[in-house]
Amino acid sequence: MTVLAGAGLLAGPPPVRATAAVPAERAAGPAPGAAPGSGAAPGPASAVRVRQAAVSDPAPVSFTGQAFDTCEAPTLVEMRAWRASPYGAVGIYFGGRGRGCPTQRELNRSWVAEVHGMGWRLLPVFVGSQAPCVNAPAKRPFALGDDPWGQGTQEADEAVRAARALGLDAGSPLYLDIEAYRPDDTRCSATTLAFVRAWNREVRRLGHVPGFYSSADTGVRDIEAQRRMGTADLPEVMWFARWEGRPALYTESALDPHAWTPHARIHQYAGNVAETYGGHRLLVDRNAVDAPVARVTP
């Protein structure tokens, strides 16, 4: 496999080496509306599981079923009405300078506690700095600078502070959102990878589970290539976007079928879909989930 050009950017502190996997707790029984057609997780898991946290960290809590995410956290009234939906989890954009909806008028510690009390499980998403060659014009003001390792560490600290302020405990996953970027720009890919690895390392050091969201054809493809090469400090959970209209949780062509298993995948399979439940309409992305969710302070 060809090494990314600009690989000098990947040099950083000595790599954190993998330790024994911490077993995940499963949610009690299948979640309502478990994603159809997502398939069972193949084995064996040991060849590719990327768990690197200390064995003293709280075990992640896993959820299997359907989730939605939407730009701004819905109101409590909407969240209560949507309990009638097939969804059992919700993505929340809890931090990062690159968020599309930075205000988040509803999202606070009380909202998190109340929504969790309703039975929702939470997928916390952090949208920070983006690839220097990011495709979306709206994300270009947030492009990485000349110190991706430093930025990754700094933004991981910011993410953990923001998560803890919302009552998201140690052991919670934090999902780093890297939007699609030019697939043929190897220096840009290397810069982005350095940022992601530094972010992962610091999030893990601070007691959380580093997850990663990106396009299957860019960020996910590049991280999978690094996994095959044995690179350290990679994400522990893979949230890949490929909008084909139906779940393909364990048949994604960009990933080895045994990679990021068990309970370490999310597939965003449709986007910008208008749905109405309980008389409340939201514009959402649809996700099939078999992955960790937040641990919430009682």
Side-chain angles (χ1 to χ4, degrees):
M1 180 170 295
T2 303
V3 178
L4 292 174
L9 291 166
L10 305 185
V16 176
R17 297 302 178 188
T19 59
V22 178
E25 299 170 7
R26 291 302 303 272
S38 57
S46 57
V48 290
R49 186 71 170 115
V50 202
R51 181 69 180 156
Q52 294 176 314
V55 294
S56 60
D57 288 350
V61 176
S62 292
F63 167 85
T64 303
Q66 293 192 62
F68 74 90
D69 63 275
T70 188
C71 189
E72 187 160 348
T75 66
L76 291 173
V77 170
E78 290 168 328
M79 293 301 294
R80 194 169 290 110
W82 271 55
R83 288 303 291 156
S85 75
Y87 300 107
V90 58
I92 55 170
Y93 292 89
F94 75 97
R97 69 191 189 107
R99 282 186 296 181
C101 295
T103 305
Q104 297 292 335
R105 292 165 293 184
E106 301 293 328
L107 187 57
N108 54 40
R109 193 181 187 98
S110 176
W111 186 95
V112 166
E114 291 204 42
V115 166
H116 192 263
M118 293 177 197
W120 290 101
R121 296 300 169 250
L122 306 179
L123 298 163
V125 184
F126 183 88
V127 192
S129 295
Q130 297 294 307
C133 57
V134 64
N135 291 339
K139 300 298 182 185
R140 289 173 190 165
F142 312 111
L144 285 161
D146 296 331
D147 181 18
W149 274 98
Q151 280 186 261
T153 301
Q154 178 182 340
E155 293 189 29
D157 292 340
E158 176 190 341
V160 170
R161 286 194 302 271
R164 296 290 177 88
L166 290 174
L168 307 179
D169 280 349
S172 295
L174 305 180
Y175 293 94
L176 177 63
D177 182 325
I178 296 292
E179 294 294 309
Y181 51 87
R182 288 200 305 270
D184 56 347
D185 190 329
T186 52
R187 179 166 292 277
C188 174
S189 297
T191 298
T192 306
L193 178 62
F195 171 79
V196 172
R197 290 180 62 212
W199 194 91
N200 292 340
R201 179 182 301 188
E202 184 70 357
V203 163
R204 183 180 290 115
R205 186 185 73 82
L206 294 173
H208 288 264
V209 177
F212 181 72
Y213 166 91
S214 193
S215 163
D217 289 329
T218 53
V220 170
R221 181 205 62 183
D222 287 347
I223 293 292
E224 168 65 2
Q226 294 300 313
R227 183 197 64 79
R228 291 173 182 268
M229 293 165 60
T231 302
D233 301 315
L234 296 183
E236 295 183 30
V237 191
M238 185 63 78
W239 187 341
F240 58 94
R242 190 182 293 282
W243 292 1
E244 294 186 332
R246 59 185 180 85
L249 201 54
Y250 290 105
T251 56
E252 167 52 46
S253 60
L255 297 172
D256 183 283
H258 296 160
W260 283 281
T261 63
H263 320 311
R265 285 194 185 196
I266 304 173
H267 178 198
Q268 186 181 87
Y269 61 90
N272 298 326
V273 180
E275 297 189 49
T276 301
Y277 295 99
H280 292 271
R281 181 180 182 273
L282 296 173
L283 191 66
V284 304
D285 300 332
R286 295 171 174 168
N287 304 273
V289 182
D290 182 11
V293 291
R295 301 175 66 99
V296 176
T297 302

